[in-house]
């Protein structure tokens, strides 16, 4: 068997069909290599047992404990049987429960004094922690040989506890790992020998053996150091190669001209740019002046003036004879950007029109829902070059759209766009256009180095003069209902002072499933029994309640994703014009909606949103000269992690600090997280939040290696591992952020 193929061996050959099927379906493990990279989550020591007192609710756990007592109880007039077993480990007690036919075997085996490993999901019944129908393995077999084996397997060593699932316990995974462990010898080592020796790393086969079957704690540390480094390094090599390939692409240099559109625009600005905007603009203009495409990420706090920086870059490109396109994730946002950019430019946005400026250009909007005539005109203006700037949704990427000379693409809110779309737009230019990606979600440095590692980064961290501070408070609706009443009073006061307010809800509402049928009734019943299980509050219901109750007499309108685009635009226009007092919306307002007169925001069920999302939403208020107010309404218990998250948001306006808290809370070690990518992540050991030094050092080494040998011709092992790890899909995911 050659060195690569033993890792590619399908698991069903070694483990049997049933086990392999469960591993594939529930743990996404398909090959020997996948299983060898399925590392233990932690290690148990014999004698140092998981404290029963600290079991996490609703999680699959593995505990080693002793049976204190076991008894069979009957119910339903003797027709039903239940076995209750109490475990103890010195720190606390835990109840096990088995029902029906499942009681006989454990009743014979789980005798007082016996010790065993138990696995199951922790739940609460009658205020006591319990495991229902756990799987278990006795640790003290009566047969002397077996006893020695059991003690060998579980006692003298550190027991690896694997990420498991309901269908497959940790120790069954451990047995499967034993079956494939000999293949660790065939691991292809991606590290160049000089690097491995220079940094004193354990060879890869040894690291795999140590991580799965450590003899000592030092073994675990050794293995982790090596495996973390591999993950960081291979990822950084992939990114360094992407950056290197980009520098090889040709692009037209776009240098601003004197006395052109940009100078005319700057001359009519009613304010001066912040130092930060000046600095970032210089970085962008320097990139635009080179003959390979700019790939820059512009991250800035909500309201730090990113749009202004992007617009000036677009004007510079138009001055240099090119066209600029801005992609927004939604129609509402595209319309919003079009409105604010044409307002900022004034007569400069009316090139070729009566009353337009000589320096001017046309600024067109292109969205999927435009009328045929308007769309035809917009397409014509693009192909002739009449329109220097186009703003639109991904409708811009359709085949029909042709540009005269596309020079710059600005993508708003990167995480809403995939690499396929980025590439499709890139292919619209005679040569690859320059690319500027904007995000208002501050990204900690390590995440920027990994998720956005193929982009150079610019940061805007100053707020422009005239932006007001936002006061944020948590409103505990359940513990203190009068606080919620006061929140609505505050909204009335803001409206009374001539301002407007947003109310944000997690759901639209009026779902057929939620109101009709068995599922709807079941949900309703569950919600009555346990408020935590109720569906999130909905826009349509809350708007209705507010119109009839707390905000009666005010103009309350709704905005959500199921509305027709014209309807959405109409509501946004009226809100921007001040004709609507309160806008009850979903997160469609999260990005880019700019109404300086809106000063208050009430976020219902705030604990159902992520930290960064709350920060984004909050940035919609305090955009004018009046102070902003954000009220985070929650029914979460005071001691819960959800409430701690909300308190963190209320305590700071620093988005970088919040993004760090967000990462720590979600333990987003997996920056290429499965939830976002839809593909297997390559990171299993590396945690972006704790391993900043590893990532930074790996990036340095990767840059040096790729600069010396871009095709990795002298490093065939690294090339092999890169190909396996970053198959096409995964490599594209790196682009998607």
């Amino acid at each position: 068997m050659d060195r690569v193929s033993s890792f590619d061996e399908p698991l069903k050959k070694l483990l049997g069909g049933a086990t392999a099927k469960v591993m594939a379906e529930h743990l996404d493990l398909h090959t020997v290599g996948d299983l060898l990279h399925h590392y233990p989550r932690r290690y148990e020591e014999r004698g140092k047992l998981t404290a029963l007192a600290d079991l996490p609710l609703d999680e699959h756990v593995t505990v080693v404990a002793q049976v204190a007592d076991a008894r069979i109880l009957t119910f339903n007039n003797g027709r039903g049987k239940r076995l209750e077993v109490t475990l103890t480990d010195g720190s606390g007690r835990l109840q096990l429960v088995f029902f029906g036919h499942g009681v006989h075997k454990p009743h014979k085996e789980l005798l007082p004094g016996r010790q065993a490993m138990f696995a199951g999901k922790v739940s609460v019944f009658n205020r006591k922690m319990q495991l229902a129908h756990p799987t278990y393995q006795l640790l003290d077999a009566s047969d002397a040989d077996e006893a020695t084996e059991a003690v060998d397997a579980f006692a003298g060593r550190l027991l690896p506890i694997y990420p498991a699932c309901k269908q497959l316990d940790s120790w069954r995974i451990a047995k499967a790992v034993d079956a494939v462990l000999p293949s660790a010898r065939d691991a292809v080592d991606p590290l160049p020998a000089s690097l491995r020796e220079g940094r004193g790393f354990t060879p890869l086969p040894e690291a795999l053996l140590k991580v799965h079957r450590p003899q000592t704690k030092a073994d675990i540390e050794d293995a982790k150091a090596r495996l973390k480094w591999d993950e960081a390094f291979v990822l950084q090599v992939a990114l360094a190669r992407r950056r290197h390939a980009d520098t090889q692409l040709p692009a037209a240099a776009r240098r601003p001209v004197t006395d052109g559109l940009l100078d005319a625009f700057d001359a009519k600005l009613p304010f001066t740019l912040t130092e930060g905007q000046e600095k970032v603009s210089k970085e962008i203009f320097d990139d635009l002046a080179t003959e390979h495409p700019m790939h820059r990420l512009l991250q800035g706090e909500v309201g730090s003036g990113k749009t202004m920086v992007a617009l000036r870059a677009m004007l510079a490109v138009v001055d240099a004879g090119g066209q600029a396109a801005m992609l927004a994730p939604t129609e509402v946002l595209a319309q919003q950007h079009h409105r604010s950019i044409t307002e900022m430019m004034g007569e400069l946005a009316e090139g070729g029109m009566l009353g337009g400026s000589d320096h001017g250009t046309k600024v067109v909007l292109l969205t999927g829902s435009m009328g045929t005539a308007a769309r035809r005109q917009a397409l014509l203006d693009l192909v002739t070059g009449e329109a220097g700037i186009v703003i639109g949704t991904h409708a811009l990427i359709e085949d029909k759209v042709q540009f005269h000379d596309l020079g710059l693409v600005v993508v708003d809110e990167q995480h809403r766009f995939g690499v396929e779309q980025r590439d499709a737009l890139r292919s619209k230019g005679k040569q690859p256009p320059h690319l500027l990606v904007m995000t208002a979600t501050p990204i900690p440095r390590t995440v920027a180095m990994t998720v956005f590692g193929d982009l150079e980064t610019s940061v805007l961290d100053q707020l422009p003069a005239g932006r007001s501070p936002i006061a944020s408070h948590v409103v505990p609706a359940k513990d203190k209902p009068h606080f919620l009443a006061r929140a609505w009073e505050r909204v009335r006061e803001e409206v009374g002072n001539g301002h407007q307010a947003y109310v944000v809800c997690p759901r639209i509402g009026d779902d057929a499933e939620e109101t009709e049928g068995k599922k709807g009734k079941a949900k309703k019943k569950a919600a009555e029994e346990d408020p935590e299980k109720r569906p999130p509050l909905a826009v349509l219901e809350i708007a209705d309640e507010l119109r009839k109750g707390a905000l009666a007499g005010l103009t309350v309108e709704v905005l959500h994703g199921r509305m027709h685009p014209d309807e959405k635009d109409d509501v946004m226009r009226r809100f921007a014009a001040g004709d609507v007092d309160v806008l009850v919306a979903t997160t469609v307002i999260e990005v880019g909606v700019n109404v300086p007169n809106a000063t208050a925001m009430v976020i219902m069920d705030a604990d159902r949103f992520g930290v960064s999302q709350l920060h984004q939403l909050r940035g919609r208020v305090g955009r004018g000269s009046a102070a902003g107010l954000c009220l985070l309404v929650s029914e979460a218990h005071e001691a819960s992690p959800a409430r701690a998250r909300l308190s963190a948001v209320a305590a700071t306006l620093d988005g970088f600090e919040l993004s760090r808290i967000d990462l720590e809370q979600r333990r987003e070690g997996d920056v290429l997280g499965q939830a976002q990518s839809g593909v297997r992540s390559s990171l299993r050991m590396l945690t972006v939040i704790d391993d900043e030094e590893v990532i930074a050092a790996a990036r340095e080494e990767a840059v040096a290696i790729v600069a010396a040998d871009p095709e990795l011709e002298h490093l065939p092992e690294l090339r092999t591992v890169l190909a396996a790890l970053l198959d096409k899909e995964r490599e594209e995911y790196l682009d998607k952020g």
Side-chain angles (χ1 to χ4, degrees):
M1 193 183 291
D2 68 39
R3 285 156 53 101
V4 187
S5 65
S6 70
F7 261 50
D8 294 335
E9 192 80 36
L11 285 172
K12 59 173 175 274
K13 273 196 179 174
L14 289 160
L15 304 179
T19 306
K21 189 170 183 237
V22 171
M23 285 194 167
E25 284 175 10
H26 297 280
L27 297 169
D28 199 12
L29 304 173
H30 306 272
T31 63
V32 167
D34 288 343
L35 183 53
L36 285 173
H37 287 300
H38 186 71
Y39 307 129
R41 185 186 320 194
R42 58 191 170 83
Y43 301 86
E44 283 285 9
E45 290 174 75
R46 181 87 160 137
K48 175 184 167 271
L49 305 175
T50 312
L52 293 181
D54 304 331
L55 286 180
L57 199 57
D58 277 340
E59 273 191 33
H60 280 283
V61 297
T62 302
V63 296
V64 181
Q66 197 166 26
V67 177
D69 70 62
R71 57 184 189 276
I72 284 193
L73 305 171
T74 55
F75 54 95
N76 268 358
N77 295 329
R79 286 197 299 275
K81 279 186 180 174
R82 181 169 81 237
L83 171 65
E84 286 185 0
V85 179
T86 307
L87 302 181
T88 176
D89 70 347
S91 77
R93 296 168 88 78
L94 174 68
Q95 187 106 26
L96 309 181
V97 59
F98 300 86
F99 293 101
H101 299 304
V103 305
H104 306 301
K105 187 168 179 261
H107 188 226
K108 281 189 209 143
E109 294 182 336
L110 298 176
L111 305 170
R114 296 297 297 266
Q115 194 159 34
M117 284 176 83
F118 301 89
K121 192 173 181 183
V122 184
S123 56
V124 169
F125 181 71
N126 278 345
R127 298 192 178 172
K128 279 187 192 158
M129 292 271 201
Q130 73 165 26
L131 297 183
H133 275 287
T135 48
Y136 61 89
Q137 182 160 333
L138 298 173
L139 291 184
D140 45 351
S142 47
D143 176 324
D145 292 342
E146 241 180 83
T148 316
E149 258 179 53
V151 170
D152 262 2
F154 293 110
R157 289 190 209 152
L158 291 151
L159 300 183
I161 305 295
Y162 287 91
C165 61
K166 195 166 128 193
Q167 296 77 2
L168 205 61
D169 317 324
S170 168
W171 55 83
R172 290 206 185 115
I173 294 171
K175 279 185 174 162
V177 169
D178 283 338
V180 301
L181 210 48
S183 297
R185 290 193 303 271
D186 303 326
V188 176
D189 198 323
L191 296 194
S194 57
L195 194 160
R196 190 178 68 236
E197 285 149 21
R199 290 186 174 264
F201 284 130
T202 303
L204 184 57
E206 197 182 314
L208 289 169
L209 289 170
K210 281 180 170 177
V211 80
H212 288 292
R213 297 296 172 260
Q215 300 299 316
T216 63
K217 286 185 177 169
D219 281 354
I220 299 171
E221 290 318 304
D222 262 8
K224 280 188 169 177
R226 169 66 214 254
L227 296 168
K228 274 184 182 184
W229 177 272
D230 279 18
E231 288 178 3
F233 176 70
V234 172
L235 189 55
Q236 291 303 332
V237 169
L239 293 165
R241 289 185 74 192
R242 168 92 34 76
R243 287 194 302 275
H244 183 270
D246 285 342
T247 62
Q248 305 306 302
L249 292 171
R254 311 281 178 173
R255 298 180 182 87
V257 298
T258 317
D259 293 334
L261 187 54
L262 179 61
D263 284 353
F265 176 76
D266 284 350
K268 65 193 270 307
L269 274 183
F271 51 81
T272 53
L273 297 175
T274 64
E275 265 174 60
Q277 284 174 316
E278 293 276 14
K279 177 177 137 295
V280 169
S281 290
K282 183 181 181 318
E283 291 170 352
I284 291 170
F285 289 150
D286 288 351
D287 280 359
L288 290 174
T290 61
E291 290 182 351
H292 58 81
M294 162 172 82
H295 286 101
R296 191 166 280 281
L297 172 70
L298 171 57
Q299 49 169 329
E301 280 291 6
V302 173
S304 55
K306 291 184 300 299
T307 310
M308 171 62 70
V309 168
L311 175 56
R312 291 183 73 248
M314 294 199 285
L315 296 176
V317 167
V318 174
D319 272 343
Q323 290 169 294
M326 182 184 241
L327 261 68
T330 63
E331 295 214 352
V332 168
L333 260 175
Q335 288 157 344
Q336 178 86 32
H337 277 313
H338 182 252
R339 214 166 21 241
S340 61
I341 282 173
T342 46
E343 277 165 18
M344 281 197 257
M345 286 175 65
E347 77 278 5
L348 295 173
E350 295 164 3
M353 297 184 216
L354 211 57
S357 158
D358 297 343
H359 291 302
T361 187
K362 251 191 190 180
V363 179
V364 300
L365 176 69
L366 191 64
T367 60
S369 65
M370 281 169 81
T372 317
R375 186 178 172 79
R376 193 177 294 129
Q377 185 58 52
L379 290 172
L380 189 65
D381 288 341
L382 284 179
V383 77
T384 59
E386 189 84 6
I389 294 176
V390 58
I391 295 154
T393 54
H394 46 255
L396 275 180
I397 301 166
E398 289 173 12
D399 292 342
K400 289 195 227 47
V401 183
Q402 298 300 322
F403 290 85
H404 176 64
D405 180 11
L406 180 61
L408 170 67
V409 176
V410 178
V411 177
D412 185 19
E413 287 307 312
Q414 154 74 359
H415 56 276
R416 311 285 173 104
F417 279 99
V419 63
E420 300 86 355
Q421 292 157 311
R422 226 159 84 173
D423 284 348
L425 198 57
R426 205 180 268 173
S427 66
K428 298 274 183 195
K430 292 174 182 169
Q431 291 181 311
H434 298 281
L435 178 70
L436 180 66
V437 170
M438 300 198 295
T439 175
T441 310
I443 302 159
R445 178 169 160 260
T446 42
V447 182
M449 280 194 295
T450 41
V451 177
F452 294 104
D454 62 329
L455 301 170
E456 299 300 326
T457 306
S458 294
V459 179
L460 274 176
D461 46 14
Q462 271 173 303
L463 286 188
R467 285 299 300 258
S468 307
I470 305 168
S472 305
H473 304 284
V474 179
V475 177
K478 202 171 179 182
D479 312 343
K480 300 179 178 167
H482 59 286
F483 275 38
L484 183 57
R486 175 70 189 124
W488 300 127
E489 276 172 34
R490 283 291 290 112
V491 170
R492 277 190 172 279
E493 286 163 18
E494 290 296 312
V495 173
N497 292 332
H499 297 302
Q500 292 157 279
Y502 296 99
V503 177
V504 181
C505 304
R507 200 168 56 91
I508 297 173
D510 198 17
D511 305 9
E513 186 189 279
E514 273 151 19
T515 47
E516 298 162 23
K518 280 184 188 170
K519 269 191 184 170
K521 283 173 186 149
K523 276 188 186 173
K524 206 170 169 191
K525 187 167 184 289
E528 282 161 12
E529 287 167 15
D530 179 0
E532 303 250 319
K533 289 199 178 129
R534 69 165 172 74
L537 295 171
V539 166
L540 300 176
E541 290 147 27
I542 293 290
D544 208 36
E545 280 174 32
L546 292 175
R547 285 188 192 112
K548 291 176 185 160
L551 302 182
L554 302 185
T555 320
V556 177
E557 293 275 7
V558 300
L559 181 71
H560 57 75
R562 285 210 303 258
M563 289 162 66
H564 187 275
D566 292 349
E567 230 183 320
K568 279 192 240 179
D569 201 37
D570 178 55
V571 171
M572 266 324 298
R573 249 178 228 285
R574 288 187 295 118
F575 188 63
D579 301 337
V580 174
D581 298 322
V582 179
L583 187 63
V584 185
T586 53
T587 53
V588 291
I589 61 151
E590 175 186 356
V591 189
V593 172
N594 184 25
V595 180
N597 192 45
T599 53
M601 176 176 284
V602 181
I603 302 179
M604 308 302 290
D605 272 346
D607 47 281
R608 313 246 181 159
F609 297 96
V611 170
S612 296
Q613 201 173 26
L614 290 169
H615 183 57
Q616 283 284 86
L617 286 165
R618 167 171 66 183
R620 301 298 112 214
V621 296
R623 297 177 81 85
S625 49
L629 171 70
C630 178
L631 301 173
L632 306 165
V633 179
S634 168
E635 291 188 3
H637 190 274
E638 197 168 353
S640 66
R643 273 286 284 281
R645 216 167 54 226
L646 296 183
S647 303
V649 174
T652 178
L653 289 171
D654 179 343
F656 285 93
E657 175 56 25
L658 285 175
S659 66
R660 200 172 173 84
I661 291 167
D662 195 18
L663 270 179
E664 276 170 354
Q665 291 241 338
R666 289 184 295 146
R667 294 310 298 165
E668 186 90 84
D670 221 345
V671 277
L672 316 182
Q674 238 165 323
Q676 292 131 299
S677 70
V679 297
R680 271 290 293 299
S681 160
S682 59
L683 299 196
R684 296 174 178 81
M685 186 66 86
L686 194 71
T687 56
V688 177
I689 202 80
D690 301 325
D691 297 322
E692 185 163 338
E693 281 157 29
V694 177
I695 292 168
R699 182 178 170 116
E700 246 173 73
E701 295 275 13
V703 168
I705 280 170
V706 171
D709 181 4
E711 294 305 314
L712 307 179
E713 283 169 20
H714 305 294
L715 299 167
E717 291 84 6
L718 177 54
R719 225 178 34 237
T720 302
V721 171
L722 206 57
L725 187 68
L726 295 168
D727 51 42
K728 197 72 196 121
E729 214 175 354
R730 252 175 243 168
E731 191 150 17
E732 282 178 357
Y733 176 62
L734 291 180
D735 250 358
K736 293 182 188 178

